[in-house]
Amino acid sequence: MSELVFGGLLIGALVVFVLLGVHIAVALIGIGFAGIWLMREDVEMAMRLLYLSAYNGVADYIFATIPLFVLMGLLVSISNVGKDTFEVAEALLRRVRGGLGVATVAANTVFAAVTGVSIASAAVFTRVAVPEMARHGYRTAFAAGTVAGSSVLGMMIPPSLLMIIYGVLAEQSIGTLFIAGIIPGFMLAAVFVTMIVLMATFAPGMVFDLKRQRDMALQRASGPLLSGAQMAGKLVPIVALVALVLGGLYSGFFTPTEAGGIGAFGALVVALARRSLGQGRFWRVLHETGSVSVTILILLIAASFYSRMLSVAGVPVAISDLVQDAGLGPYGFLLIYVLIVLFLGMILDSSSILLIMTPVAVPIASDLGFNLIQFGVLTVLAVEIGLLTPPFGISVFTVKSTLNDPRVSVEAIFGGTLPYVAAMLFVLLLVAVFPVLSLALT
C-alpha cells in the first residue's frame, strides 16, 4: 500500500471517529498508535513514541501561555469589561447608520485584544448587545449574526489560542504569530464595519425590522448616554490591559509567556477592584481555567503523537511530491488546502481542524516556499470561518444557547452570519495575495 493511500485511510478514519463522537484526543492517539503498529509491526515502538510525545509535547516553557491567557480572558469576562466597552462604543456610534452593529464590532475588537477566546466574546456580547439592538429596532437575527460574526475576531487579534496551537504544531514563534495577526485582525474588523454601514444604508430591510419602523432616526435622536468622564472610566481597565499585553509583546519587552502572566495579573487586579470574584466566582474561574487548559494540552500531546505517526508513514513527503508533480504550484495547493479546511469547518470544531491539518500541511507549505507565519494567519482565518458555517458553527450555537429565545432559530442566526463569512473570505483572499499584510510588523 502506498504512503498516500495509507495516509488517506488514516485521516479518513480519524474524521469518521470524530464524527461518531469519539473525543478528538482519543481519536488522534488511537489512530496514531494503530498506524505505527501496523507500519512497523512493533508495539514497543508505538509505546516509546507515545511516551516521547507525552513528555516533549508539553514540557516547553511556552505552554504556560495557554493557562495564563485563558485565565486572563475569564477574569476579564467576569469583570463586566465587555459590557462597559460596548456601552462606550454604543454612546460614540449611535449617530452612525447601523451604529449599534458597528458598536458591537468595535467592542468585540477591543475585547478580543485581551481574551483570545471567541466563545467568551460570543457569550458576553449576546447578553449585552443583542437585547439593546433588538430594542432599537434591529432584526434579532441580524443582531445575533453580528455578535457571532464579530466574535471570531478573538481568534485573529492577539492573544489567540488558535495561534498558540498552530505555533506549537508548526514549531513557529508564538510572539511573531501574535504580531502577524494584528493587521489582518483589524482589517477584518474594518471590513465588518464597512459592510454593516453599507447594508444599513442600501439594504435596511436586512438590518432593521421595518414593520416596527424603528430605524436609525431613533438612535440619532437618543444621543450619547454617557459623559466623557464616564466613558473614560469604563475604558481605563481594558485600554490598560491592551497596552500592557500588546505593548509588551510588540516592543519585545515581554515574551508571550510573560505577557500572559502580566495580563492575567492585570485582569486579576481589575476583577478585585470591581469586586467581581465573590460568591464562589473566583473558584469557578480557576476551575474553568484548569478545565480548558488541560483539554488543550491533552489535544496538543495527541496531535504531536499523530504528527509523528504521519512522519513515520511518509505522508507529508508523499503529498508534497504529488502536489509538485501535478504542477499545482503554491497557490494551487493553497486553494485546495483552504477548501478542505472550509469543508472540515462544517463538521468539526476549530481545534480539531488544526490538529488534523497542520501536521500534514505545514511541511508541504514549507517545501512550496510559503512563509509559515503567513501560512498560519491564513490557516487561522480559514478555520475561523468554520466557527460560523453550518451545521457545526460553534459560535452560532454559543449565541443561540446564551440568547435562549425560542423565537430566534439556529437557522436564522446562520443566515445572519452569511455576510460575515463573505467578508472573511475577502480578507483571506487579500492576505493570500499580499503577504505583506501579515508580515509587515514581524
Side-chain angles (χ1 to χ4, degrees), residues 329-331 333-334 364-372 374-375 378 432:
Y331 285 99
F333 161 74
L334 182 63
I364 302 170
S366 180
D367 289 343
L368 292 173
F370 279 101
N371 182 296
L372 293 185
Q374 180 207 11
F375 190 73
L378 292 170

Side-chain angles (χ1 to χ4, degrees), residues 156-179:
M156 181 54 61
I157 298 173
S160 161
L161 285 182
L162 286 187
M163 290 283 196
I164 294 174
I165 293 172
Y166 173 85
V168 170
L169 295 175
E171 299 182 353
Q172 297 298 304
S173 166
I174 292 173
T176 304
L177 281 165
F178 280 175
I179 293 170

Side-chain angles (χ1 to χ4, degrees), residues 174-380:
I174 292 173
T176 304
L177 281 165
F178 280 175
I179 293 170
I182 292 176
I183 292 177
F186 283 97
M187 186 168 65
L188 193 59
V191 172
F192 285 170
V193 167
T194 304
M195 181 189 69
I196 290 170
V197 173
L198 290 175
M199 288 173 63
T201 303
F202 298 107
M206 297 179 64
V207 178
F208 305 109
D209 187 344
L210 299 178
K211 290 182 180 179
R212 290 189 294 166
Q213 296 184 356
R214 293 278 193 88
D215 60 0
M216 293 307 292
L218 178 58
Q219 289 194 41
R220 286 194 287 271
S222 299
L225 299 177
L226 301 174
S227 67
Q230 288 174 316
M231 286 191 284
K234 287 178 178 291
L235 282 181
V236 164
I238 197 161
V239 169
L241 284 172
V242 170
L244 193 64
V245 175
L246 294 190
L249 277 173
Y250 187 70
S251 65
F253 191 73
F254 299 148
T255 66
T257 307
E258 291 165 347
I262 294 293
F265 177 75
L268 177 62
V269 171
V270 171
L272 289 173
R274 294 187 166 204
R275 299 179 180 178
S276 302
L277 299 179
Q279 300 177 339
R281 285 191 289 267
F282 185 50
W283 171 249
R284 287 199 297 272
V285 166
L286 293 178
H287 182 273
E288 190 170 351
T289 299
S291 177
V292 172
S293 301
V294 168
T295 299
I296 293 172
L297 291 172
I298 290 175
L299 286 172
L300 290 174
I301 290 172
S304 174
F305 183 54
Y306 175 72
S307 179
R308 289 171 187 263
M309 181 274 296
L310 291 177
S311 297
V312 170
V315 173
V317 174
I319 296 177
S320 178
D321 291 342
L322 178 66
V323 170
Q324 292 176 348
D325 293 342
L328 293 176
Y331 285 99
F333 161 74
L334 182 63
L335 176 62
I336 294 173
Y337 172 69
V338 169
L339 290 175
I340 292 172
V341 171
L342 293 179
F343 169 73
L344 290 177
M346 297 180 183
I347 55 177
L348 300 175
D349 65 280
S350 53
S351 298
S352 299
I353 298 169
L354 276 182
L355 295 168
I356 292 170
M357 294 302 298
T358 303
V360 178
V362 164
I364 302 170
S366 180
D367 289 343
L368 292 173
F370 279 101
N371 182 296
L372 293 185
I373 298 297
Q374 180 207 11
F375 190 73
V377 172
L378 292 170
T379 297
V380 171

Side-chain angles (χ1 to χ4, degrees), residues 59-73:
D60 199 297
Y61 175 66
I62 195 66
F63 287 98
T65 55
I66 294 172
L68 291 172
F69 279 126
V70 171
L71 176 61
M72 181 178 70

